[in-house]
Amino acid sequence: MQITIKIFRYNPEKDKKPRYESYKLEAVETDRVLDLLEKVKGYQDGTLSFRRSCAHGICGSDAMRINGFNRLACKTLVRDTGAKITVEPILGLKVIKDLIVDMEPFFENFRSVIPYFVNDEPEPAQERLQSPEQRERFDDTTKCILCACCTTSCPSFWANEQYLGPAAIVNAHRFIFDSRDRAAAERLKILNDIFGIHRCHTIFNCTLACPREIQVTKAIGEVKKAIVTGSLE
Amino acid sequence: MGLKRNVGLIEGLRYQGKGPMLTYILHRIGGLAIVIFVAVHILSSYFGGNIGIFFNTFYMHWAFQIFIFFCALFHAINGLRIVILDLWPKLIEHQREAIWVEWAVFLPIYAIAVFVIARTALGG
């Protein structure tokens, strides 16, 4: 089948304003949008710029707006998009070139929630034990790949990039509810900030956009409840 | 380096967030409409006279009442859905169903209200 792919283009060294360029190419239904971008770059226009790495939905490099909705290009098939495809960069971050955005504000928010294990107690002789139920408590939020699909689909983040955003909260959730961790109170204090969790208006764009199908809004709701009640139960 | 943040009102509205995004937008429009409705009420009482009568005819018009009832009712029911989900995060897994329930509650009430307002306006 013939596909028309319309791509957001912007080269800060040449263009005053962004523009869209359309490319026609042959594809099959099982091609991914990433394959189409590779074909365009390889055979039609070598100046096209986009991020990609593993191409298997693990690294989270190729998050972009495909037909107006945040997705990973490597997990989006032509049969789900139709023959006319529009590809644009994710919203709320500065465009560096074409589909590449400056991810630094996103990672700055991520780093601010202490997204790593904290426990200064003396190490036990063997591993720190945890029951299957305790592990299950934060299992969903361990799946985050930091692709930014959720954060850049959030109207609260669009309004203000200082808002920590769903991805940072999901990664805080992963450690807050880990029974071995000891920095939950500190993280909850950070999330209780004016640009913290209360900017979430339970819109659900993040949950729909997540390519790992994490229940993002549910995780945010659990953290909200922990802040209000002061309990991790 | 590069563009400024690539988001504005139009870009935001173009985002294809489906059902949840629609409820979010309608909730904001509803809130704004309620503020305008209350403001017109206050201005009507404040100015009185011909200006007050003008404001009165504006917000008492049946078409405006149908519009404002949509805004107020949707804002209330959607707000209730969000409050319930915020208070009981476990229910968030059923957010799709919650939106369907919201529309199932909203549409019959709104349809009855539109029928009553229209029938009254048309002298029925």
Side-chain angles (χ1 to χ4, degrees):
Chain A
M1 63 194 288
Q2 193 177 59
I3 299 288
T4 304
I5 185 165
K6 189 172 127 186
I7 305 176
F8 177 100
R9 301 299 308 271
Y10 176 66
N11 180 349
E13 292 173 355
K14 288 183 182 174
D15 303 327
K16 286 186 179 171
K17 288 198 300 186
R19 63 186 198 283
Y20 288 85
E21 270 185 38
S22 293
Y23 305 88
K24 291 187 189 301
L25 60 164
E26 284 298 319
V28 293
E29 284 193 332
T30 49
D31 274 340
R32 304 165 304 169
V33 172
L34 182 62
D35 299 325
L36 305 185
L37 292 174
E38 298 278 19
K39 277 185 190 172
V40 170
K41 186 172 175 64
Y43 298 102
Q44 296 192 31
D45 187 347
T47 64
L48 177 65
S49 301
F50 55 92
R51 282 197 182 100
R52 57 94 77 198
S53 185
C54 77
H56 286 79
I58 300 298
C59 71
S61 303
D62 59 352
M64 48 191 79
R65 257 182 308 154
I66 299 171
N67 287 348
F69 185 73
N70 283 5
R71 304 165 198 256
L72 295 183
C74 62
K75 287 188 77 174
T76 306
L77 299 179
V78 167
R79 71 166 165 235
D80 298 324
T81 60
K84 288 188 176 178
I85 305 170
T86 304
V87 184
E88 298 161 294
I90 45 180
L91 284 172
L93 297 166
K94 289 176 186 167
V95 176
I96 296 172
K97 191 183 176 206
D98 296 339
L99 302 172
I100 298 176
V101 294
D102 176 15
M103 295 286 281
E104 186 48 34
F106 171 80
F107 285 118
E108 194 179 322
N109 289 342
F110 166 69
R111 286 191 294 267
S112 72
V113 298
I114 322 175
Y116 45 84
F117 183 70
V118 178
N119 188 332
D120 294 332
E121 294 166 5
E123 288 178 24
Q126 294 181 324
E127 69 269 27
R128 297 177 198 274
L129 292 177
Q130 191 169 49
S131 70
E133 291 75 22
Q134 287 172 325
R135 175 62 178 75
E136 178 66 26
R137 183 72 185 84
F138 59 91
D139 184 68
D140 198 33
T141 46
T142 62
K143 296 186 290 187
C144 179
I145 55 173
L146 294 173
C147 63
C149 275
C150 59
T151 295
T152 58
S153 72
C154 174
S156 299
F157 181 76
W158 298 341
N160 194 326
E161 70 180 347
Q162 284 180 278
Y163 168 48
L164 291 173
I169 300 169
V170 158
N171 282 279
H173 177 284
R174 183 255 171 270
F175 291 101
I176 287 169
F177 292 95
D178 186 334
S179 59
R180 303 162 298 179
D181 187 271
R182 296 291 176 265
E186 201 177 337
R187 288 191 195 92
L188 292 177
K189 194 178 168 190
I190 292 165
L191 292 168
N192 202 13
D193 181 72
I194 188 168
F195 291 113
I197 201 156
H198 303 296
R199 295 230 167 196
C200 167
H201 299 303
T202 323
I203 300 164
F204 288 108
N205 276 4
C206 52
T207 304
L208 293 187
C210 180
R212 303 304 303 267
E213 297 180 358
I214 298 171
Q215 290 288 327
V216 180
T217 317
K218 185 184 176 194
I220 295 172
E222 288 173 352
V223 177
K224 277 183 189 168
K225 196 174 176 185
I227 287 173
V228 172
T229 62
S231 166
L232 297 180
E233 294 304 313
Chain B
M1 180 183 70
L3 286 176
K4 292 180 180 174
R5 291 184 77 215
N6 63 338
V7 66
L9 182 64
I10 302 298
E11 285 291 317
L13 290 174
R14 281 182 55 229
Y15 187 77
Q16 300 292 311
K18 301 169 192 162
M21 184 72 177
L22 177 66
T23 61
Y24 166 73
I25 292 169
L26 290 177
H27 194 80
R28 263 61 199 168
I29 292 171
L32 195 62
I34 292 167
V35 169
I36 292 169
F37 180 60
V38 173
V40 170
H41 259 280
I42 293 169
L43 290 174
S44 168
S45 304
Y46 178 76
F47 287 114
N50 286 338
I51 298 173
I53 291 168
F54 169 75
F55 280 132
N56 276 352
T57 51
F58 178 68
Y59 72 71
M60 288 175 71
H61 192 273
W62 63 272
F64 183 75
Q65 287 188 346
I66 285 175
F67 169 72
I68 200 67
F69 189 73
F70 178 95
C71 294
L73 184 67
F74 188 86
H75 195 81
I77 294 175
N78 192 55
L80 199 59
R81 172 181 68 91
I82 292 168
V83 168
I84 290 169
L85 294 179
D86 274 345
L87 286 176
W88 290 282
K90 283 185 180 173
L91 295 176
I92 287 177
E93 283 179 23
H94 308 291
Q95 59 96 3
R96 281 176 197 272
E97 291 79 5
I99 289 175
W100 284 115
V101 170
E102 177 184 339
W103 283 109
V105 172
F106 172 81
L107 287 173
I109 298 175
Y110 185 62
I112 292 168
V114 169
F115 176 72
V116 171
I117 294 169
R119 197 177 65 166
T120 308
L122 299 172

